[in-house]
Amino acid sequence: MRDLLYMAWRYLAYHRIKTIILVLSITLIVFLPAGLKILVGESAESLTARAESTPLLVGAKGSPLELVLNSLYFESDTPPPIPFAETQRVTDSKLATAIPLYTRFRARGFPIVGTSLDYFDFRELTIAEGRQIALIGECVLGSAVAEELDRGAGAAVVSSSESAFDLAGVYPLKMHIVGVLAPKGTADDRAIFVDLKTAWIIQGLAHGHQDLAQPEAADGVLKRDGNVVVANASVMQFNEITPDNMDSFHFHGDPAEFPITAVIAVPHDSKSATLLQGQYLGPDEQVQLVLPTSVMDDLLATILTVQNYVLAGAMVIGLSALMTAVLVFMLSLRLRKREIETMHRIGSSRRRVTALLSLEIIIVLLSGILLAALLTVLASQFGEGLIRSFI
């Protein structure tokens, strides 16, 4: 038996290109269905886990899926804004704790999430380095952001302009990094967190500039009328908040009307959740209240439907590949007709020749199955990280 194994192995090693193609074909036939089910299962688990930890979301009327994906993962298109007053509305209901979110801006490709300190307690985020945000202009980095940017507490990061020609809109702000969050394996690892007021400063709803009462700012004064000072365009505005200029930053307008993208509502109990949902069912409502779990369940139902079609296609492709492999083996036997006749002439029995050819096929099949099993194990071990990198 050992000699047959040796001869079968030497034949496959000599025709290595044909052997590799056959092994890879068998591997794909076995791995595709199993690997697809594992990846879909991992993605479903990641999506539902984040949604299940977020009871209710308040946002502008429109696509519930866009609202949920933006509020949970900070990666989809920014939904239409709602006024900050919606946060107070949830609080005034005394049915839930309100956590505002404003996720419009980015820095170095990472989302800037304007929120309150309640968000960190709600998501159970802890500081691994430095401290928590306390003043405007400060930020804390998710662990993945800190690693990719190679920055930590004491460094700085600058927000990105939405357009190179938007001179009056988004305010590029140099933010001081005061802390880095411990890794959680969620979308929070790839976000930059700031106070809501800092996000509004980036948008230009607040600014700081030279003290026009000082003599050095005289060139920037257009007109004085008692305590009212009108400045011209030459007044220098600050793009960094420091202890020296912090007092000069001020807001224009009513903060209740300032924009946010969503409010996470955390009900006190199931009864409070039901009552709160009932308050957003009026025909004149300008906002919507959605259940993230319901929205994600609808998305997963679509994903599973697509998965079934993909699996059906993979099975058809696998059957075709299997038939091609069988054809290759059959053609190989015909091409080896003289070789088989030679083995018979030198004394090999028909049974021994059949065993040799069968061993070659078995080695190819086992190699493909073992490689598919290895890929399946790798998919189960690292599939979750791969899914998170795309979410």
Side-chain angles (χ1 to χ4, degrees), residues 102-389:
Y102 195 29
T103 58
R104 172 181 170 181
F105 308 110
R106 307 183 79 83
R108 300 290 296 275
F110 295 100
I112 298 175
V113 180
T115 187
S116 64
L117 294 178
D118 290 333
Y119 182 86
F120 300 93
D121 294 331
F122 171 67
R123 294 294 188 198
E124 298 181 350
L125 302 176
T126 57
I127 299 295
E129 174 191 342
R131 61 172 175 82
Q132 185 57 269
I133 51 176
L135 303 171
I136 57 174
E138 296 181 342
C139 68
V140 294
L141 306 184
S143 58
V145 180
E147 182 178 354
E148 292 189 28
L149 297 183
D150 193 22
R151 297 184 186 181
V157 63
V158 180
S159 63
S160 305
S161 296
E162 291 181 326
S163 170
F165 305 100
D166 185 12
L167 300 180
V170 174
Y171 198 93
L173 183 68
K174 183 178 180 181
M175 299 172 291
H176 300 278
I177 303 170
V178 296
V180 176
L181 297 173
K184 287 285 290 184
T186 65
D188 298 317
D189 292 344
R190 301 188 60 81
I192 300 171
F193 293 93
V194 300
D195 181 73
L196 267 180
K197 291 181 179 180
T198 302
W200 290 336
I201 291 173
I202 296 174
Q203 185 166 341
L205 298 176
H207 63 265
H209 50 66
Q210 292 172 291
D211 186 356
L212 298 179
Q214 298 298 322
E216 57 268 20
D219 293 339
V221 176
L222 188 65
K223 177 176 70 170
R224 294 182 186 270
D225 185 4
N227 293 328
V228 178
V229 180
V230 180
N232 59 35
S234 67
V235 174
M236 183 181 68
Q237 295 190 10
F238 302 118
N239 67 344
E240 180 182 3
I241 302 174
T242 66
D244 295 332
N245 64 27
M246 185 177 298
D247 292 339
S248 72
F249 278 81
H250 53 279
F251 289 86
H252 297 278
D254 182 5
E257 298 300 320
F258 286 177
I260 57 176
T261 50
V263 179
I264 298 176
V266 186
H268 304 314
D269 49 44
S270 58
K271 180 180 178 180
S272 298
T274 303
L275 292 174
L276 185 63
Q277 292 176 60
Q279 296 185 6
Y280 287 84
L281 298 178
D284 299 329
E285 279 292 342
Q286 299 299 311
V287 297
Q288 63 178 334
L289 187 146
V290 301
L291 284 74
T293 51
S294 177
V295 174
M296 298 313 297
D297 285 343
D298 292 339
L299 175 61
L300 291 176
T302 303
I303 292 175
L304 292 176
T305 301
V306 174
Q307 173 196 328
N308 293 333
Y309 285 113
V310 174
L311 280 175
M315 291 179 65
V316 172
I317 295 173
L319 182 60
S320 300
L322 182 60
M323 293 175 66
T324 302
V326 172
L327 180 61
V328 169
F329 282 121
M330 293 176 64
L331 291 175
S332 178
L333 290 177
R334 296 194 64 178
L335 292 173
R336 298 173 65 185
K337 186 176 180 180
R338 294 182 61 183
E339 177 187 340
I340 295 172
E341 290 177 353
T342 301
M343 284 191 288
H344 285 312
R345 289 175 180 176
I346 63 177
S348 296
S349 64
R350 184 178 299 274
R351 183 178 178 181
R352 192 170 179 83
V353 172
T354 302
L356 175 62
L357 299 176
S358 300
L359 279 174
E360 294 174 3
I361 297 174
I362 291 172
I363 290 174
V364 171
L365 290 175
L366 286 178
S367 299
I369 292 172
L370 289 174
L371 184 56
L374 176 61
L375 291 176
T376 303
V377 171
L378 292 176
S380 63
Q381 292 293 323
F382 303 104
E384 185 176 357
L386 181 64
I387 292 298
R388 283 174 179 167
S389 67

